[in-house]
Amino acid sequence: MRKVIVVLIALVVLLIIDRVAVASVEREMANRIAAVPNLSGTSSVSIEGIPFLTQAMSGRYPEVRFNLGTFSYGGVPVKNLRGVAYDVRAPLADVLQNQANIQAGRVTMSGTLSRATIDKYAPSGVKIGGNGQRLTASGEVTIGASKVKFNAEMRVEVADGRIKLQAEKIQGVPVPDQVAQLISYPIPFNLPFDVKLTGVRSLPEGLELFAEALDVPIRG
């Protein structure tokens, strides 16, 4: 019976240490993420994996999930920004002393550009719409001395880590190439931790972005 009690006490002590360790590392990560400029909303961090204590003692965490809220850069808000840091290295002793050099082997992120933001950066006279599968553009542009009304589909391209909306399938105009040049446009924005845009897909509420980076310091 005494051995059982000793084992139970040991398990309770280990559980307490485990919770203290996870709280310390999550708090340190959350503080650094919250220190990222241009964030609004409450950020949160969750360390995945059980048992946690073995991760804490080794200073390596296979998966750390975080939510950042809304991130704005240059007036372009990216909403519901969230991510996962893989192979995170953060020695527990350094974390407890606020001296940790936290590194992630890989960080992936996703977020949303709202339909209002996409429309805001459209050229004058261009209205952005869509059905959740494809973005559309309509409006009126000036070519020479004439006003030309148009309807078009907008293809979303990712090039050099940037988004560009490229007009195609333009209807109702005699010079579609000229109209395409006038109504195609980029959306300038950046994301935290130097992640680079890798993909995008259309949603009813706007565009969902996907980004990634390797060997990322979590400095805040």
Side-chain angles (χ1 to χ4, degrees), residues 114-219:
S114 70
R115 185 70 62 79
T117 296
I118 299 166
D119 189 64
K120 174 184 175 181
Y121 283 87
S124 177
V126 178
K127 180 66 177 177
I128 299 298
N131 57 9
Q133 295 180 338
R134 293 295 300 269
L135 292 175
T136 61
S138 61
E140 186 177 75
V141 293
T142 301
I143 297 179
S146 302
K147 295 284 188 179
V148 177
K149 292 184 177 181
F150 68 90
N151 289 287
E153 291 188 4
M154 302 296 281
R155 183 178 72 252
V156 183
E157 299 178 343
V158 176
D160 298 325
R162 303 293 178 185
I163 283 181
K164 182 178 181 181
L165 274 67
Q166 179 66 44
E168 60 183 9
K169 298 183 180 179
I170 301 171
Q171 302 172 358
V173 298
V175 284
D177 290 344
Q178 292 185 42
V179 173
Q181 291 180 6
L182 291 172
I183 68 177
S184 300
Y185 65 99
I187 302 178
F189 69 94
N190 282 330
L191 293 171
F193 307 123
D194 292 327
V195 294
K196 302 303 180 185
L197 198 64
T198 57
V200 62
R201 67 168 177 165
S202 184
L203 299 174
E205 60 268 30
L207 293 174
E208 185 175 19
L209 315 176
F210 302 94
E212 183 176 347
L214 302 176
D215 298 323
V216 180
I218 310 297
R219 297 194 184 99

Side-chain angles (χ1 to χ4, degrees), residues 80-125:
N80 194 25
L81 190 60
R82 56 206 181 277
V84 184
Y86 298 97
D87 189 24
V88 176
R89 300 176 294 282
L92 181 59
D94 292 345
V95 169
L96 295 176
Q97 298 179 50
N98 297 318
Q99 298 177 350
N101 178 24
I102 300 179
Q103 294 275 138
R106 181 168 69 100
V107 171
T108 62
M109 299 182 73
S110 62
T112 304
L113 287 178
S114 70
R115 185 70 62 79
T117 296
I118 299 166
D119 189 64
K120 174 184 175 181
Y121 283 87
S124 177

Side-chain angles (χ1 to χ4, degrees), residues 17-59:
I17 295 174
D18 184 279
R19 292 303 91 194
V20 170
V22 71
S24 297
V25 177
E26 286 182 346
R27 182 171 58 250
E28 179 66 16
M29 289 283 291
N31 288 340
R32 294 188 182 207
I33 288 173
V36 172
N38 307 310
L39 285 180
S40 60
T42 303
S43 59
S44 63
V45 172
S46 173
I47 295 176
E48 306 296 315
I50 298 174
F52 175 81
L53 189 57
T54 58
Q55 300 180 56
M57 297 306 293
S58 67

